[in-house]
């Protein structure tokens, strides 16, 4: 392998200081850079801690892995929340005698205890942020070394989340790697961050100032230098700095980029790269690269979100890391699938619920231009029992820790504009407000360049003025209320609090693509019958209200895809929250998905709704479609029905009281522009 290819792989590997899944156990090493990264995802053995027999039931697993991806849907409120044990043999090179060795875990849910060669190393609390630990003193060069990780997803009063309407899947559900460095290095021990912090100052189309801090772990401060280069997308160095290290713990540098190309969301998500090299006696002994997307943004109370001085309507989805067959053990394929679906629908933003997501997703959003809200798992019970907060010093310490980890590990991602502090906390037990104010102050200290936010469902002035901006979870037309209330409520809040920047963090309705009705009426949210047509109608009406109010700074549909929640006993499947616009297996887009695609994306849409309602009993029916064309023709059994119909401003077109014949009915709609004819069709059967 030549040096250029090797360096390219190394750069990809460290764009966010995480291992690439596809490299498996391949060693990536560059003697010039002094750092080696070994992907440890393959070759693990797993068994449950309760099995203490001499020969326990052991299975071979590849990471990411969770032990209850399917078990949570056993129609039982309980699922395995206990301890599993992972073990792996790691051969250590004899060349590591004068090296430092670190284990890097991107996520183990929820509490992980690490042992090397049967010696305790560390315990980490929190399943959705990374941790890194040095094991140099325990590794035996030239021998096989045993790594054991005891992982527990048991509910604990000192680990977030305390409750929530989603499953806490157990296991090492994100990648693991081994990092081998020189004795002197850019430290991976600063809350498992890259060790590089790029702070943007005074960004404009004319120039951008950068303050770059590199965290170091050095034996002394003699003969060390930090060389930092900013490269454009073609790899050309556009600005650089070389500084002598005067502090063994960090080095600060400042750079200015003239006439920068801005990271401009979906329109132009331009990325620079920042290469930081640690040099000793003018030799590179460590190197890390980080993404750089230059942008500036703000939220105003009357006009909403602005990116680089221009209004951007932030609309998109709440997103869980949860998919059929894998639970939260996501691979790049799963991340790419979810982002592709969000982009197809025309989303401009995502709310990453209810915890920090995997690094691969942040990378995808950097490169595709989706704006992100990333939050910690400080989750209240919402409409359920339980408490999301108790005045417990250990819990507060863990919340501070996970907040620090989320910020430092994701500091350089340009896609992130908002740090979320909580979701649906109640005020009927220990008062969380003083502690929430502490968390906001912590964010302002860690990262004053981004905005704090939260998702609440309570109208309480003390709770609703803690963060820089705020958003509400509102379900008018599903959990009671009327669709129009979304608009009247928003207008009232805007009138009473004209200086408040507020958005909608959740709105949605459950739906099964296999449940239908010929007479539209509101279903029981807690019942089994969640017809697809009501979800589509719900979103049509809610979006009409929200779209007319640009002062609502963000509008997040709940949610992109169905996800597991063991407490749910409604809809088609026990243990499932069915509010997604895509099914749990990501194979079927519900009708409402196409409504947003017609309204949000720039792709042409022609789609017959209620198409899966194939068995009909009434001789006449209303037919509805979503269309981005000026006019649409309807044909039933080969005959044109009326004159061409015009979709309304929200791309909805309807035909009333269309007669059906007994037996099979062929429903076809056609539209065309610039001489190109497109069509959509389905078959409905009316009972004889």
């Amino acid at each position: 392998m030549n040096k250029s290819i090797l360096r390219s792989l190394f750069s990809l590997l460290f764009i966010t200081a995480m291992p690439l899944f596809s490299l498996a156990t391949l060693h990536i090493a560059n003697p010039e850079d002094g750092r080696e990264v070994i992907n440890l995802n393959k070759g693990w053995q797993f068994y449950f801690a309760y099995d203490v027999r001499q020969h326990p039931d052991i299975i071979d697993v590849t990471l990411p892995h969770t032990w209850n991806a399917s078990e949570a849907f056993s129609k039982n409120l309980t699922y395995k929340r206990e301890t599993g044990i992972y073990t792996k043999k790691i051969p250590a090179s004899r060349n590591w005698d004068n090296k430092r060795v670190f284990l890097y875990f991107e996520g183990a849910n929820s509490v992980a205890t690490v042992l090397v060669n049967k010696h305790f190393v560390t315990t980490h609390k929190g399943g959705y942020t990374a941790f890194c630990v040095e094991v140099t003193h325990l590794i035996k060069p030239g021998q096989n070394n045993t790594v054991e990780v005891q992982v527990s997803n048991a509910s604990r009063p000192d680990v977030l989340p305390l409750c929530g309407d989603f499953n806490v899947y157990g296991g090492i559900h994100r990648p693991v790697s081994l990092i081998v460095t020189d004795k002197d290095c850019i430290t991976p021990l600063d809350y498992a961050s890259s060790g590089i912090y790029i702070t943007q100052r005074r960004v404009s189309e004319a120039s951008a100032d950068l303050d770059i801090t590199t965290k170091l772990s050095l034996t002394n401060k003699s003969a060390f230098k930090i060389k930092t280069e900013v490269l454009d997308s073609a790899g050309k160095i556009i600005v650089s700095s070389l500084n002598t290290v005067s502090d063994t713990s960090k080095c600060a540098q400042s750079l200015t980029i003239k006439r920068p190309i801005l990271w401009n969301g979906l329109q132009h998500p331009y990325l620079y790269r920042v290469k930081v090299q640690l040099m000793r006696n003018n030799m590179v002994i460590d190197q890390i690269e980080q993404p750089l997307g230059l942008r500036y943004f703000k939220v105003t109370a009357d006009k909403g979100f602005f990116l680089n001085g221009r209004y951007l309507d932030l609309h998109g989805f709440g997103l869980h890391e949860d998919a059929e067959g894998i639970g939260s053990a996501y691979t790049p394929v799963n991340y790419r699938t979810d982002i592709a679906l969000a982009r197809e629908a025309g989303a401009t933003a995502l709310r990453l619920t209810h915890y920090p997501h995997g690094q691969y997703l942040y990378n995808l959003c950097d490169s595709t231009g989706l704006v992100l809200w990333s939050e910690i798992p400080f989750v209240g019970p919402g409409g359920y029992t339980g408490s999301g907060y108790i005045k417990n010093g250990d819990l507060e310490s863990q919340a501070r820790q996970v907040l620090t980890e989320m910020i430092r590990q994701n500091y350089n991602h340009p896609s992130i504009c908002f740090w979320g502090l909580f979701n649906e906390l109640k005020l009927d037990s220990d008062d969380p407000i003083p502690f929430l104010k502490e968390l906001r102050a912590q964010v302002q200290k860690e990262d004053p360049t981004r905005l704090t936010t939260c998702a609440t469902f309570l109208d309480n002035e003390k709770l609703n003025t803690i963060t820089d901006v705020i958003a509400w979870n509102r379900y008018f037309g599903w959990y009671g209320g009327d669709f129009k209330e979304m608009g009247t409520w928003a207008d009232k809040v805007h009138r009473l609090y004209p200086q408040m920047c507020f958005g909608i963090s959740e709105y949605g309705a459950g739906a099964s693509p296999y449940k239908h009705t010929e007479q539209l009426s509101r279903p029981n949210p807690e019942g089994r019958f969640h017809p697809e047509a009501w979800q589509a109608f719900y979103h049509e009406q809610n979006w009409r209200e929200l779209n007319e109010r640009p002062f609502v700074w963000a509008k997040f549909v709940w949610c992109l895809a169905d996800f597991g929640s063991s407490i749910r006993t409604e809809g088609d499947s026990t243990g499932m929250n069915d509010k997604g616009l895509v099914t749990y297996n990501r194979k079927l887009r519900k009708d409402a998905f196409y409504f947003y695609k017609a309204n949000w994306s720039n792709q042409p849409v022609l789609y017959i709704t209620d198409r899966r309602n194939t068995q009909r009993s009434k001789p006449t029916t209303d037919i509805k479609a979503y269309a981005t064309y000026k006019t649409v023709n309807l044909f039933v059994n080969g005959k044109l029905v009326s004159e061409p119909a015009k979709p309304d401003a929200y791309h909805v077109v309807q035909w009333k009281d269309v007669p059906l014949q007994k037996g099979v009915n062929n429903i076809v709609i056609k539209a065309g522009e610039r001489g190109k004819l497109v069509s959509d069709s389905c078959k409905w059967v009316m009972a004889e």
Side-chain angles (χ1 to χ4, degrees):
M1 186 179 290
N2 65 44
K3 289 185 178 179
S4 63
I5 295 175
L6 190 60
R7 188 171 287 109
S8 296
L9 284 171
F10 188 84
S11 299
L12 283 170
L13 189 68
F14 269 96
I15 197 165
T16 54
M18 67 165 280
L20 295 179
F21 293 72
S22 58
L23 295 179
T25 57
L26 177 66
H27 289 234
I28 303 299
N30 189 341
E32 295 179 5
D33 299 338
R35 180 175 288 221
E36 183 179 8
V37 176
I38 305 165
N39 187 299
L40 299 183
N41 289 336
K42 288 188 175 181
W44 291 82
Q45 292 188 313
F46 171 80
Y47 62 98
F48 285 107
Y50 60 70
D51 192 347
V52 295
R53 295 173 297 171
Q54 187 174 2
H55 302 289
D57 291 332
I58 295 176
I59 61 172
D60 295 327
V61 299
T62 296
L63 306 181
H65 171 261
T66 177
W67 60 70
N68 47 18
S70 301
E71 183 240 356
F73 304 99
S74 60
K75 298 185 178 181
N76 189 327
L77 281 174
T78 63
Y79 58 93
K80 283 189 176 68
R81 300 200 66 173
E82 51 187 80
T83 300
I85 295 178
Y86 295 82
T87 63
K88 179 180 174 63
K89 298 286 187 182
I90 300 175
S93 170
R94 293 189 184 277
N95 297 328
W96 294 356
D97 278 332
N98 295 310
K99 298 287 188 177
R100 296 175 68 179
V101 182
F102 306 86
L103 279 170
Y104 173 87
F105 295 83
E106 194 182 319
N109 214 8
S110 296
V111 177
T113 298
V114 181
L115 296 89
V116 173
N117 294 326
K118 297 187 178 181
H119 293 285
F120 172 80
V121 180
T122 192
T123 292
H124 179 265
K125 296 179 181 179
Y128 303 102
T129 46
F131 66 98
C132 186
V133 62
E134 184 167 5
V135 294
T136 306
H137 61 296
L138 294 174
I139 290 291
K140 300 174 182 178
Q143 299 182 33
N144 273 336
N145 295 262
T146 300
V147 175
E148 179 180 317
V149 189
Q150 300 179 8
V151 185
S152 170
N153 69 331
S155 177
R156 293 176 47 155
D158 60 340
V159 178
L160 297 176
L162 298 187
C163 58
D165 183 16
F166 60 95
N167 296 331
V168 178
Y169 296 102
I172 306 179
H173 64 156
R174 291 183 184 162
V176 177
S177 61
L178 198 71
I179 302 173
V180 183
T181 73
D182 189 274
K183 290 292 184 182
D184 301 294
C185 64
I186 300 169
T187 182
L189 296 179
D190 189 38
Y191 290 90
S193 72
S194 67
I196 311 297
Y197 299 93
I198 308 165
T199 303
Q200 304 182 27
R201 312 277 190 199
R202 295 173 291 278
V203 177
S204 70
E205 286 75 4
S207 66
D209 295 336
L210 302 177
D211 292 337
I212 302 174
T213 298
T214 302
K215 299 290 185 73
L216 301 169
S217 180
L218 307 179
T219 54
N220 59 70
K221 61 183 179 182
S222 62
F224 289 103
K225 294 181 179 179
I226 290 290
K227 182 180 181 180
T228 297
E229 299 171 337
V230 178
L231 294 80
D232 64 15
S233 61
K236 179 183 177 182
I237 300 172
I238 60 171
V239 65
S240 65
S241 179
L242 180 64
N243 296 74
T244 298
V245 174
S246 58
D247 183 338
T248 58
S249 64
K250 63 183 177 181
C251 179
Q253 298 170 293
S254 296
L255 297 167
T256 297
I257 299 175
K258 298 296 185 182
R259 296 182 296 279
I261 302 173
L262 299 185
W263 187 90
N264 202 28
L266 295 175
Q267 184 177 337
H268 192 200
Y270 187 87
L271 290 175
Y272 295 90
R273 289 182 292 137
V274 175
K275 180 194 295 185
V276 179
Q277 295 177 321
L278 173 64
M279 306 175 73
R280 183 176 57 215
N281 298 323
N282 296 319
M283 295 286 293
V284 176
I285 62 171
D286 201 4
Q287 174 177 294
I288 287 180
E289 291 193 9
Q290 288 287 281
L292 172 63
L294 296 166
R295 79 286 186 270
Y296 59 98
F297 60 90
K298 67 177 181 179
V299 178
T300 69
D302 57 340
K303 295 183 179 179
F305 181 79
F306 288 78
L307 179 64
N308 302 327
R310 297 177 179 85
Y311 174 75
L312 175 62
D313 188 47
L314 290 187
H315 53 253
F317 305 96
L319 177 63
H320 267 295
E321 284 183 338
D322 191 358
E324 185 179 61
I326 63 166
S328 58
Y330 264 43
T331 68
V333 171
N334 304 110
Y335 287 117
R336 290 195 295 267
T337 296
D338 284 353
I339 294 302
L341 286 165
R343 292 192 68 193
E344 180 187 345
T348 61
L350 291 174
R351 177 186 171 211
L352 304 185
T353 51
H354 289 298
Y355 37 77
H357 287 217
Q359 283 296 311
Y360 198 93
L361 182 134
Y362 292 103
N363 292 340
L364 283 175
C365 293
D366 289 344
S367 61
T368 58
L370 287 165
V371 173
L372 294 181
W373 160 339
S374 183
E375 66 191 41
I376 60 173
F378 200 176
V379 184
Y384 299 96
T385 61
S387 175
Y389 168 77
I390 54 177
K391 182 107 183 109
N392 176 323
D394 291 336
L395 178 71
E396 292 181 345
S397 176
Q398 198 267 333
R400 294 187 193 97
Q401 165 211 314
V402 73
L403 181 59
T404 301
E405 289 171 338
M406 177 180 72
I407 294 172
R408 295 196 187 186
Q409 291 166 18
N410 299 291
Y411 192 88
N412 300 323
H413 290 296
S415 52
I416 301 173
C417 293
F418 304 94
W419 298 124
L421 297 188
F422 68 88
N423 176 78
E424 291 193 348
L425 289 178
K426 287 184 174 180
L427 299 175
D428 55 359
S429 55
D430 288 337
D431 184 3
I433 293 175
F435 182 58
L436 289 171
K437 290 180 178 178
E438 290 181 26
L439 292 182
R440 181 187 179 184
Q442 181 180 338
V443 174
Q444 291 172 331
K445 181 179 179 181
E446 288 282 338
D447 179 15
T449 70
R450 292 181 172 95
L451 298 172
T452 57
T453 189
C454 65
T456 185
F457 73 129
L458 299 177
D459 294 313
N460 182 284
E461 289 191 19
K462 292 182 179 179
L463 188 66
N464 299 342
T465 57
I466 291 170
T467 51
D468 298 318
V469 298
I470 189 174
W472 266 271
N473 299 341
R474 289 297 190 209
Y475 289 88
F476 298 112
W478 182 245
Y479 296 119
D482 181 76
F483 302 127
K484 289 290 184 183
E485 290 183 59
M486 180 66 85
T488 55
W489 167 83
D491 290 340
K492 179 180 178 181
V493 173
H494 192 46
R495 183 177 64 255
L496 292 176
Y497 308 101
Q499 302 306 313
M500 178 187 288
C501 302
F502 71 95
I504 294 295
S505 40
E506 294 179 20
Y507 69 104
S512 165
Y514 310 109
K515 295 290 175 64
H516 306 284
T517 178
E518 292 182 75
Q519 185 66 44
L520 192 64
S521 61
R522 180 187 296 178
N524 176 8
E526 298 179 357
R528 290 293 186 179
F529 185 62
H530 289 176
E532 184 178 22
W534 183 263
Q535 184 193 54
F537 185 61
Y538 170 98
H539 281 288
E540 291 168 20
Q541 301 307 312
N542 270 271
W543 181 247
R544 291 173 190 269
E545 299 297 319
L546 291 172
N547 187 56
E548 294 175 359
R549 293 165 173 83
F551 58 82
V552 178
W553 67 264
K555 301 100 171 172
F556 291 106
V557 171
W558 189 256
C559 50
L560 178 66
D562 296 343
F563 64 92
S565 177
S566 67
I567 63 175
R568 294 269 172 174
T569 56
E570 63 201 43
D572 278 350
S573 302
T574 295
M576 184 75 69
N577 188 315
D578 65 351
K579 294 186 182 70
L581 303 195
V582 180
T583 53
Y584 191 43
N585 61 11
R586 274 46 172 191
K587 292 182 179 179
L588 196 154
R589 297 157 176 80
K590 303 177 189 179
D591 284 354
F593 179 93
Y594 291 95
F595 170 74
Y596 286 110
K597 183 176 181 178
N599 282 275
W600 289 354
S601 81
N602 57 9
Q603 299 299 311
V605 174
L606 188 66
Y607 177 84
I608 300 170
T609 71
D610 214 22
R611 62 199 302 116
R612 286 173 279 269
N613 187 5
T614 57
Q615 302 300 311
R616 304 286 178 136
S617 62
K618 297 183 178 180
T620 61
T621 186
D622 295 343
I623 297 176
K624 181 175 68 177
Y626 303 136
T628 56
Y629 298 89
K630 292 180 180 179
T631 60
V632 182
N633 286 308
L634 169 66
F635 297 84
V636 177
N637 299 320
K639 296 181 179 179
L640 178 65
V641 177
S642 73
E643 295 296 319
K646 294 182 178 180
D648 65 16
Y650 290 90
H651 304 289
V652 178
V653 58
Q654 297 188 72
W655 295 267
K656 294 289 188 179
D657 300 319
V658 177
L660 300 177
Q661 66 183 22
K662 291 182 178 180
V664 177
N665 290 264
N666 293 305
I667 313 298
V668 179
I669 57 175
K670 296 181 180 180
E673 289 181 358
R674 301 181 182 91
K676 183 178 180 181
L677 186 67
V678 295
S679 65
D680 189 31
S681 65
C682 61
K683 294 182 184 294
W684 295 339
V685 178
M686 191 179 79
E688 296 285 347

